[in-house]
Amino acid sequence: MKLRKVTAASAVALVLALTATACGGDDNKDDTGSSSSSGGSGGKIKVGIKFDQPGLGLKKPDGSFAGFDVDVATYVAKQLGYEPDQIEFVETKSADRENALARGDVKFIAATYSINDERKKKVDFAGPYLLAHQDLLIKSDSDISKATDLNGKKLCSVTGSTSAQNVQKSIAPKANLKEYSSYSECIAGLQSGAVDAVTTDDSILAGFASQDQYKGKFKLAGLKLSNENYGVGVKKGDTADVDKINKALEQMVSDGSWQKAVDANLGPADYKNEPAPKIGVIVPNAS
């Protein structure tokens, strides 16, 4: 009888041990795209960026990443305890950024992510870390010089972007808006003549215009059609990481890394950046 009791107890212990092992998972990942272990102990962090925006977020042919947003993301991740080789960059297109955060695909997003009231209903933001302005990219010989010239023209923007929304609401409601899935598709359309202009933030357009294959072919119209306050998006309710990221952004500005990143990534396109914005201060659009 005693032997049967010992055997039963051993069986229970074995079941509990197996259950605990099964619940552990392979990567010990939480629901925000990061390992549950700290960055210094071999964990990984998933960060959302764009893959097709020269000067901001670009995946190069060798598989490496470059751009201002990449530098911001790398600096922030460092302050959170992750080295560059612990960062896994994940492509997050404009239309999928909120979903990527809600699903926990990434810990945070630095992807030309303009802060606005509608998005703040779904995600939280740290920053802003850059003030950009909506502009137009046109061919060098184009006769488009002001926003109203777009009425009746074929205008390209990206699905889910604030630029497309601005065009439809107020900038040129009679423009023939073409919404593509990426800015690189819009640029290809501009080059082929499928569209007459591309609209998005001047920082993004400057990055494309600076590429060797486009030099001399395109130009910025020089219009400040909106104020775009770039923020770092995090999952709704993740106030702890918002605070940590804000502190990292403040440090990036104070130690000179922010201006260095702007000059290195956007300077070649002769981009005239605004001063680094103050954390929590959103520059509104003119009413």
Side-chain angles (χ1 to χ4, degrees), residues 193-225:
V195 298
D196 300 303
V198 178
T199 186
T200 187
D201 305 344
D202 51 8
S203 56
I204 298 172
L205 297 175
F208 279 108
S210 67
Q211 290 186 293
D212 290 339
Q213 66 265 39
Y214 298 135
K215 284 182 179 178
K217 296 181 179 179
F218 304 145
K219 65 181 180 181
L220 289 169
L223 307 178
K224 292 186 177 182
L225 301 174

Side-chain angles (χ1 to χ4, degrees), residues 70-93:
V70 174
D71 288 349
V72 169
T74 302
Y75 191 100
V76 167
K78 174 73 173 179
Q79 299 308 306
L80 295 180
Y82 298 89
E83 296 299 326
D85 62 357
Q86 293 176 286
I87 302 172
E88 180 182 341
F89 287 116
V90 178
E91 183 176 24
T92 50
K93 294 185 177 182

Side-chain angles (χ1 to χ4, degrees), residues 156-197:
C156 189
S157 193
V158 167
T159 304
S161 69
T162 54
S163 298
Q165 297 166 12
N166 290 341
V167 168
Q168 291 175 315
K169 288 180 180 178
S170 59
I171 293 174
K174 293 182 180 180
N176 183 5
L177 181 64
K178 306 289 186 181
E179 293 187 77
Y180 292 172
S181 63
S182 69
Y183 291 112
S184 56
E185 290 181 66
C186 282
I187 300 299
L190 180 61
Q191 186 176 27
S192 69
V195 298
D196 300 303

